[in-house]
Amino acid sequence: MKDTQILSAFADLSVPPTARPADSALVFDACHVGVVLRAVFVVEAVVAVAAMFMAGSPVEWLVRLSLLTGGTLPATLLWLISACSLKNVLARLPSRVQYLAGAALGAVAGLFCAAVLWLVGLLESAPWVASAFSGLLLASALVAALVLRARGQMPAATAARLSELQARIRPHFLFNTLNSAIALVRAEPAKAETLLEDLSDLFRHALVDHGESVTLAEEITLARRYLDIEAVRFGERLRVEWSLDSSAEKARLPPMLLQPLVENAVKHGVEPCPSGADIRISTQRRGSTVVIKVTNTVPAGSGEPGNGVALSNVRDRLSLLHDVQGQFQSALKNGVYQVRIEVPL
């Protein structure tokens, strides 16, 4: 399995449509009472300040505020109801499209506000363009606030997902490993001892709190332990190739990031196929960036799509640690599946 062939085509790889929903996520959620109350409060505060520029006295300010509220309140509720109703549709779209959709709904709400005020006779000439841009600006600010609110909750959610991921060294893997060790005890006791030592090290690593990050070298060691254990079960069906750049070993990764990717390669590449599959793990330093790739053949075909929990977990934790400097891509093409990660050094 030549890595250069995969690299040359990786930019053109596309994830099957059935796999995209697992990779999508709602970037802002307007379906909460607290969000509705905050949105109404913020819009009313902006309107109240704007009314001050047009009022010469407190009484006139109250009158103008009341009139403007008659248009802005329904428009705000229209935006909230629309954003909430389209929640499931938006969740299937890329993040940038969701931002644009939220802003576009704000422009529509602004036009609605101008139309209401114009129809009831409060405006002689409706400022359509100004109203659309005002709605767009307010909606963009509200979307940004909701995104920041969601990101503020992410560390706790990510910690919970990390605990789940650490528990993903599944019970059946433990049972299979112990059965393999039992089978080797009499025939090859030294090999059985090595197998149990690898299993012990793997679980010790999984259960220890490593903090927010570990080195790439530590993740490679863990992945080696895992593959050494699986090699006992699958034998020649599991063909592993390592291509490691020693200058990339100090790159920082969230703990337990590489192991689930290798596990997926075994589960979807080796396990379903009687002839096994090839797995290649490579690391490469490119200036101030480290590229990590986990590639496996899929001789038995893609099979039933999974729920994407492991990949989503890896992507979220990578983003939390490195933000925009951490890149994650995955795709299947011509019977070869590849996960590509970029992190700063």
Side-chain angles (χ1 to χ4, degrees):
M1 181 171 55
K2 295 184 179 180
D3 188 55
T4 53
Q5 294 177 349
I6 301 171
L7 278 175
S8 62
F10 190 80
D12 300 325
L13 295 181
S14 59
V15 180
T18 54
R20 288 195 183 277
D23 296 338
S24 302
L26 191 67
V27 297
F28 70 95
D29 189 356
C31 299
H32 294 284
V33 175
V35 171
V36 173
L37 295 176
R38 291 186 184 93
V40 171
F41 175 79
V42 169
V43 173
E44 283 298 298
V46 172
V47 171
V49 173
M52 293 180 183
F53 289 94
M54 301 179 289
S57 65
V59 174
E60 185 180 356
W61 174 74
L62 286 174
V63 172
R64 289 187 177 275
L65 177 59
S66 300
L67 296 176
L68 290 174
T69 298
T72 57
L73 182 58
T76 303
L77 294 177
L78 173 66
W79 186 90
L80 290 166
I81 293 171
S82 300
C84 183
S85 301
L86 296 173
K87 176 180 177 179
N88 294 331
V89 176
L90 292 174
R92 294 193 289 268
L93 300 175
S95 299
R96 292 181 180 179
V97 178
Q98 294 185 47
Y99 293 132
L100 292 175
L105 287 175
V108 173
L111 293 173
F112 178 78
C113 175
V116 170
L117 295 176
W118 178 64
L119 288 173
V120 298
L122 297 178
L123 295 175
E124 295 182 2
S125 177
W128 301 111
V129 176
S131 298
F133 274 94
S134 297
L136 186 147
L137 182 62
L138 286 172
S140 299
L142 182 58
V143 169
L146 292 176
V147 170
L148 290 175
R149 177 176 178 268
R151 288 182 178 177
Q153 296 174 338
M154 189 179 294
T158 301
R161 287 198 298 272
L162 175 58
S163 297
E164 175 194 356
L165 185 58
Q166 289 173 331
R168 285 191 70 252
I169 302 179
R170 302 180 299 257
H172 82 258
F173 165 69
L174 173 61
F175 297 148
N176 288 336
T177 304
L178 291 177
N179 287 334
S180 298
I182 292 171
L184 291 171
V185 166
R186 292 185 178 178
E188 300 179 74
K191 196 172 183 179
E193 182 180 356
T194 300
L195 176 63
L196 292 175
E197 287 176 352
D198 287 340
L199 180 64
S200 175
D201 288 341
L202 182 64
F203 273 85
R204 184 183 300 110
H205 186 97
L207 297 175
V208 170
D209 183 7
H210 298 277
E212 67 173 11
S213 68
V214 295
T215 64
L216 175 57
E218 292 176 279
E219 285 292 289
I220 292 294
T221 299
L222 180 64
R224 284 187 184 275
R225 296 284 190 187
Y226 175 80
L227 289 173
D228 287 344
I229 292 172
E230 291 288 46
V232 175
R233 183 157 66 106
F234 292 106
E236 294 181 355
R237 292 172 58 194
L238 175 58
R239 299 177 290 275
V240 182
E241 179 184 351
W242 296 88
S243 177
L244 304 178
D245 186 346
S246 59
S247 64
E249 292 181 348
K250 294 183 179 180
R252 307 296 298 187
L253 296 173
M256 294 289 290
L257 191 86
L258 192 57
Q259 185 272 334
L261 300 179
V262 175
E263 183 181 351
N264 269 3
V266 173
K267 179 181 178 182
H268 298 290
V270 180
E271 192 169 349
C273 183
S275 61
D278 299 303
I279 298 176
R280 190 176 196 274
I281 299 97
S282 66
T283 63
Q284 183 181 18
R285 179 178 178 178
R286 298 181 180 177
S288 60
T289 301
V290 171
V291 178
I292 307 161
K293 288 175 288 182
V294 178
T295 309
N296 65 277
T297 56
V298 190
S302 58
E304 292 295 326
N307 54 23
V309 172
L311 294 183
S312 178
N313 193 306
V314 168
R315 181 184 293 105
D316 288 348
R317 293 192 296 123
L318 187 68
S319 176
L320 184 62
L321 181 63
H322 291 300
D323 198 18
V324 296
Q325 290 182 291
Q327 301 295 322
F328 180 95
Q329 294 174 292
S330 63
L332 172 66
K333 184 176 182 180
N334 298 331
V336 177
Y337 185 80
Q338 185 179 88
V339 172
R340 186 177 190 273
I341 296 174
E342 290 186 21
V343 294
L345 184 60

